[in-house]
Amino acid sequence: MYEKAKAYAQTAHEGQKRKITGEIYFSHPLNVARILRQAGFSEDVVIAGLLHDVVEDTLVTANEIEQEFGSHVAALVLSHTEDKTLSWEERKAHTIETVRTGNLEEKALIVADKYDNLSSIRYAMSSEGSAVWQHFNRGYDLQEWYYTSVAKVMLYGLDPREIPAYFDAYERMVRTVFKK
């Protein structure tokens, strides 16, 4: 099923590039899936990592995801999918609330995504410095609010024994990128 999801996501994202690095977009879902797999999550969660942006950023629908990969994967993907009819601030506030109230799998998917995004930002900062923030519709201050807010709420409601190690890595990355 993993290979099927990998091919499906690669086809769905064909021709897309990462905003900052310009690399092939599909590298991002692969990284998210790798983070989730290394943390020991189930195949459904890892597959959701591969597919996490297809409904939001391609013509693929949630129904298609459900038909191809099942209701659990579709629900995870939808928990992460932003409603593009809302403003950036409304979408990000909704994601923060989803991280706060979500179950471990939902939190894990979103934090893995944000961790990989911040890794790309940190890499770009090594060559571009603060100019990296010009790649975004919202600059440094709002990006800081968003990523810091995710870090503040990601542990809410979790048993400390179930927290993946990359949550700590994400928190460190937030401090590194935003000089906290």
Side-chain angles (χ1 to χ4, degrees), residues 61-79:
T61 68
N63 286 339
E64 291 169 331
I65 296 296
E66 185 171 6
Q67 288 173 347
E68 294 291 328
F69 302 101
S71 60
H72 186 219
V73 170
L76 287 168
V77 170
L78 282 179
S79 75

